[in-house]
């Protein structure tokens, strides 16, 4: 039961064996000790009296390894939320026998102990030796079990007052009823459909395409009673999913108080799916407390007990809907269903069929798809929004195969082969782990993040798929001495990997939707400038040609970032965003001589060294400080309020 995992807000039980170990030791309902405290609990796996040191949540890999090396008895919990390496930490701790000498199994996988157990852990106490008991005989015959109770008359929980359903497409409303029950559906008093409950006690009553509208009344009735749903809207309905940057709430963004106070839009309807996992597909789900809500402070403000995660409402999803509502006008209401979970990889969200199609084991996937997407499969949507990838940084090759496979499979599962799919290219992880002024992050995440961004772009080969990049949208407040910020340099606070600038990302997604969904132009181009050709020049330079004029500009992290442990700040556009591979060494080029917008960019190469120029890469770092923008100066987004689209990072052979 996910509500019994109180130690980590972002990472679900299936994704953190460290958390599962915590629960195995503490018991599902015991409160954790204070960080740094030694504690004893009788519920250890092998025997009682296990002592461990609780390091608290959001512990870095380095801190985990240091604690392992310095703890004499090694009986503590090694918890590394930020690295997504919890399941492998036990093999990377400096003391190989650390966990062998612990009194409990250190590794859980999807709620089950590892197999075989760690050496030195003998399992639960065995009974003393003695004569084997005679196996019991068959139970005496008895009366047959009573038949199950008939299904209860009810609607699926996604249907409620204030909801919004897709306009212009035929759809259905479903629920449960005793077998054979006749069910009717009326919209504003007009009968529009009927159905009969099946032998399994389920019904689905269809309705014809409806025009865009607000404040309609839907009545679902039978001999068992009526459900009257009021203030129902018909418009463009979107499903927003992914991990923490999609889950991240409006209440955590810049100017959140003003944003919340100004969030009253009768034509925007919001629903947040409750976080639940399941190993089998579920027919129903639950929504957060307000169910379907009309956009306003009561549906966008933070639940203080949950901070900015697992609380209504998704900032990226909301800003997308708000921007789209402004573009389309009040005649087309907007509905937004947020179903996301921080720290989750794509494996959790893909169906078993989709998992098999891209070479994954269906037995170890799909637990969020089963409970948070599958129950919505019979709804009709205008599009699907996706912001996820950080949890898969360690496996870009798999992601390159499984992300397109997941999109194709979702379209099949939702019965919408051409469903527009809009995704966010993952942004900077923030300033906390930088090691140089160019934005390089020198750890396993930083070494793989660019490959993951490139893997995401493989999905663009599918029809009706669009990308909104966030590579230039970091969090300029997440530096020492520049408050307010949810995290500071050197810690693993919520700011790391969770930039508060969500409005530009939502607006970029709206730009893409205007093109893909509505076939309309938008105030700003919806596509980043594309690299058309790479041609070596006789002068020793390389000439890049783009499909539209570009100019160098600073990103939001420029100059404000402070390198950990130094007084240095980010290089911005005083340094080139280009690097060339000379032999086996990457060397930074000089700045291109680009003083005004141009579709042709001349990149000077380093002086000849007798070694060949192999490849050229651009903005190939975790947190770019300088990028090429579409005909605008950038200036961290300040000089260009619409946040002009940057050229996407690339790595090309020469």
């Amino acid at each position: 039961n996910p509500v019994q995992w109180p130690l980590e807000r972002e990472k679900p039980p299936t994704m953190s064996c460290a958390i599962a170990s915590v629960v195995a030791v503490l018991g599902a309902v015991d409160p954790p000790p204070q960080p740094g405290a030694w504690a004893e609990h009788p519920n250890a796996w092998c025997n009682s009296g296990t002592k461990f040191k609780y390091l608290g949540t959001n512990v870095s890999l380095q801190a985990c390894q240091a604690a392992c090396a310095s703890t004499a008895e090694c009986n503590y919990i090694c918890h590394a939320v930020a690295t997504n390496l919890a399941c492998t930490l036990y093999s990377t701790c400096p003391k190989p026998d650390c966990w062998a000498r612990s009194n409990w199994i250190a590794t859980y996988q999807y709620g089950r102990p590892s197999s075989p157990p760690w050496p030195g852990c003998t399992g639960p106490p065995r009974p003393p030796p003695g004569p084997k008991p005679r196996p019991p005989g068959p139970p005496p015959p008895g009366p047959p079990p009573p038949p199950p109770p008939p299904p209860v008359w009810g609607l699926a929980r996604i249907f409620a007052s204030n909801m919004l359903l897709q306009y212009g497409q035929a759809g259905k409303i479903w629920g449960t009823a005793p077998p054979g029950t006749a069910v009717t559906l009326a919209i504003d008093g007009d009968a529009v459909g009927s159905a009969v409950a099946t032998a399994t006690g389920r019904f689905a009553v269809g309705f014809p395409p409806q025009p865009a509208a607000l404040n309609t009344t839907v009545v679902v009735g039978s001999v068992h009673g009526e459900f009257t749903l009021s203030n129902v809207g018909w418009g463009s309905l979107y499903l927003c999913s992914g991990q923490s940057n999609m889950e991240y709430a409006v209440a955590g963004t810049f100017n959140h108080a003003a944003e919340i106070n100004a969030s009253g839009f009768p034509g925007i309807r919001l629903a947040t799916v409750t976080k639940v996992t399941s190993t089998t597909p579920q027919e129903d789900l639950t929504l957060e407390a307000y169910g379907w809500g009309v956009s306003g402070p009561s549906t966008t403000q933070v639940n203080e007990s949950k901070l900015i995660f697992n609380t209504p409402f998704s900032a990226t999803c909301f800003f997308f809907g708000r921007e789209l509502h402004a573009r389309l006008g009040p005649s087309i209401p907007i509905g937004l269903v947020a179903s996301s979970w921080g720290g989750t990889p794509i494996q959790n969200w893909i169906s078993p069929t989709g998992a098999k199609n891209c070479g994954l084991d269906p037995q170890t996937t799909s637990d969020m798809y089963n409970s948070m997407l599958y129950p919505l499969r019979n709804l009709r949507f205008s599009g699907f929004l996706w912001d996820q990838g950080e949890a898969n940084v360690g496996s870009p090759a798999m992601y390159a195969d499984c992300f397109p496979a997941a999109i194709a499979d979702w379209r099949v599962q939702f019965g919408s082969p051409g469903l527009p799919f809009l995704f966010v290219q993952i942004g900077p992880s923030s300033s906390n782990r930088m090691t140089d002024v160019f934005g390089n992050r020198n750890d396993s995440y930083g070494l793989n993040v660019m490959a993951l961004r490139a893997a995401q772009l493989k999905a663009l080969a599918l029809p009706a798929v669009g990308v909104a990049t966030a590579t230039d949208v970091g969090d300029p407040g997440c530096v020492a001495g520049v408050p307010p910020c949810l995290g500071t340099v050197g810690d693993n606070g919520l700011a790391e990997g969770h930039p508060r600038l969500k409005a530009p990302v939502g607006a970029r997604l709206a730009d893409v939707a205007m093109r893909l969904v509505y076939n309309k132009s938008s105030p700003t181009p919806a596509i980043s400038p594309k690299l058309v050709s790479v041609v070596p020049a006789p002068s020793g330079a390389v000439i890049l040609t783009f499909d539209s004029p570009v100019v160098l500009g600073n990103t939001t992290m420029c100059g404000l970032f402070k390198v950990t442990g130094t007084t240095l700040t980010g290089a911005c556009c005083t340094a080139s965003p280009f690097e060339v591979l000379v032999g086996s060494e990457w060397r930074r080029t000089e700045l291109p001589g680009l003083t005004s917008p141009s579709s042709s960019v001349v990149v000077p190469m380093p002086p000849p060294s007798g070694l060949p120029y192999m490849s050229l890469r651009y903005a190939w770092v975790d947190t770019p400080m300088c990028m090429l923008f579409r005909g605008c100066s950038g200036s961290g987004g300040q000089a260009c309020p619409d946040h002009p689209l940057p050229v996407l990072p690339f790595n090309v052979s020469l």
Side-chain angles (χ1 to χ4, degrees):
N1 187 339
V3 300
Q4 295 180 348
W5 299 83
L7 300 186
E8 164 58 13
R9 181 171 53 256
E10 280 200 79
K11 199 171 292 297
T14 59
M15 280 311 301
S16 177
C17 30
I19 298 170
S21 301
V22 175
V23 176
V25 177
L26 297 181
V29 296
D30 290 343
Q34 293 297 314
W38 288 91
E40 293 189 8
H41 285 270
N43 297 329
W45 180 260
C46 291
N47 41 21
S48 61
T50 293
K51 179 179 287 190
F52 63 89
K53 190 172 185 179
Y54 180 69
L55 299 180
T57 58
N58 294 323
V59 176
S60 69
L61 174 60
Q62 291 80 6
C64 179
Q65 292 176 328
C68 188
S70 63
T71 305
E73 296 300 325
C74 280
N75 293 324
Y76 73 99
I77 291 174
C78 207
H79 184 192
V81 172
T83 63
N84 294 312
L85 292 176
C87 291
T88 60
L89 285 175
Y90 311 110
S91 63
T92 61
C93 272
K95 292 187 177 181
D97 63 340
C98 172
W99 305 106
R101 292 191 287 114
S102 296
N103 291 325
W104 47 279
I105 290 181
T107 301
Y108 263 54
Q109 179 69 22
Y110 297 101
R112 299 186 295 273
S114 63
S115 179
W118 289 88
C121 183
T122 58
R126 298 181 178 181
K132 295 184 179 180
R134 179 176 297 177
V152 175
W153 165 240
L155 294 179
R157 296 185 185 96
I158 192 62
F159 301 112
S161 293
N162 300 318
M163 69 180 178
L164 185 136
L165 299 179
Q166 179 64 35
Y167 84 116
Q169 297 185 36
K172 61 182 70 174
I173 292 177
W174 61 90
T176 57
T181 299
V183 181
T184 60
L185 173 64
I187 300 175
D188 282 344
D190 296 329
V192 296
S194 62
V196 176
T198 65
T200 59
R202 299 192 178 278
F203 73 85
V205 55
F207 55 80
Q210 299 295 305
L214 285 175
N215 200 29
T216 65
T217 300
V218 173
V219 178
V220 183
S222 77
V223 296
H224 304 288
E226 288 186 343
F227 293 100
T228 300
L229 311 181
S230 60
N231 195 26
V232 173
W234 304 85
S236 283
L237 181 61
Y238 287 87
L239 178 57
C240 305
S241 189
Q243 58 179 104
S244 55
N245 273 306
M246 181 61 82
E247 185 184 354
Y248 192 101
V250 176
T253 61
F254 278 114
N255 303 319
H256 58 270
E259 297 284 15
I260 290 171
N261 289 334
S263 63
F265 297 97
I268 300 180
R269 307 298 172 84
L270 314 174
T272 301
V273 175
T274 301
K275 298 198 290 189
V276 176
T277 65
S278 176
T279 57
T280 58
Q282 300 297 297
E283 292 296 334
D284 206 358
L285 46 66
T286 57
L287 299 177
E288 286 294 310
Y290 63 84
W292 273 97
V294 178
S295 179
S298 63
T299 52
T300 57
Q301 66 184 356
V302 70
N303 179 334
E304 292 296 342
S305 66
K306 298 180 179 179
L307 297 179
I308 61 171
F309 296 103
N310 195 26
T311 185
F313 186 74
S314 162
T316 297
C317 191
F318 170 74
F319 289 129
F320 162 80
R322 185 183 70 178
E323 189 70 21
L324 200 60
H325 188 54
R327 306 272 183 88
L328 297 174
S331 62
I332 302 180
I334 303 296
L336 305 170
V337 179
S339 182
S340 53
W341 194 325
T344 55
I346 196 171
Q347 298 95 304
N348 294 114
W349 297 99
I350 192 170
S351 78
T353 301
K356 187 179 298 185
N357 289 343
C358 68
L360 297 177
D361 180 2
Q363 300 298 318
T364 61
T365 63
S366 311
D367 47 354
M368 279 126 207
Y369 169 83
N370 289 335
S371 53
M372 298 175 68
L373 293 184
Y374 182 84
L376 302 171
R377 70 195 183 284
N378 289 322
L379 286 178
R380 291 295 169 258
F381 293 94
S382 286
F384 199 123
L385 273 62
W386 180 253
D387 191 348
Q388 188 277 334
E390 293 87 349
N392 289 109
V393 160
S395 51
M398 179 277 290
Y399 204 90
D401 291 333
C402 288
F403 185 34
I407 296 171
D409 182 63
W410 286 322
R411 287 170 166 171
V412 171
Q413 301 297 333
F414 279 71
S416 300
L419 181 69
F421 192 95
L422 292 59
F423 72 92
V424 178
Q425 187 182 43
I426 61 174
S429 65
S430 91
S431 60
N432 292 358
R433 291 171 179 260
M434 295 304 174
T435 57
D436 67 23
V437 297
F438 304 112
N440 292 296
R441 173 172 162 172
N442 190 24
D443 61 5
S444 61
Y445 186 98
L447 295 174
N448 290 298
V449 63
M450 290 313 307
L452 194 282
R453 286 177 181 153
Q456 288 183 295
L457 300 182
K458 298 293 184 181
L460 295 177
L462 297 176
V465 175
V467 58
T469 187
T471 52
D472 61 313
V473 187
D475 196 327
C478 289
V479 295
V482 187
C485 188
L486 297 169
T488 56
V489 169
D491 73 10
N492 289 322
L494 295 176
E496 181 163 358
H498 305 110
R500 295 170 293 166
L501 276 172
K502 302 300 184 188
V505 178
R508 288 175 179 179
L509 287 167
D511 286 339
V512 178
M514 291 297 290
R515 175 178 61 89
L516 284 183
V517 181
Y518 305 99
N519 196 27
K520 295 181 179 180
S521 61
S522 58
T524 55
I527 303 175
S528 290
K530 290 184 178 180
L531 179 65
V532 176
S533 66
V534 180
V535 179
S539 62
V542 171
I543 301 175
L544 307 178
T545 302
F546 297 89
D547 65 354
S548 61
V550 298
V551 69
L552 284 170
N554 300 325
T555 71
T556 58
M557 293 301 294
C558 157
L560 292 175
F561 164 66
K562 292 185 178 180
V563 181
T564 304
T566 76
T567 59
L568 299 175
T569 57
C572 305
C573 280
T574 59
S576 172
F578 294 97
E579 296 172 278
V580 62
L581 182 61
V582 182
S584 59
E585 179 187 358
W586 285 102
R587 299 181 186 176
R588 191 164 300 277
T589 74
E590 295 180 15
L591 275 169
L594 195 63
T595 57
S596 61
S598 173
S599 58
S600 181
V601 178
V602 179
V603 181
M605 292 291 102
S609 61
L611 298 174
Y613 299 138
M614 307 295 293
S615 301
L616 180 71
R617 66 188 186 185
Y618 149 80
W620 205 257
V621 292
D622 173 83
T623 303
M625 302 289 175
C626 176
M627 298 184 76
L628 294 171
F629 290 86
R630 183 187 292 275
C632 181
S633 64
S635 299
Q638 301 306 310
C640 303
D642 290 329
H643 287 267
L645 286 171
V647 173
L648 301 181
F650 59 77
N651 186 344
V652 295
S653 298
L654 297 177

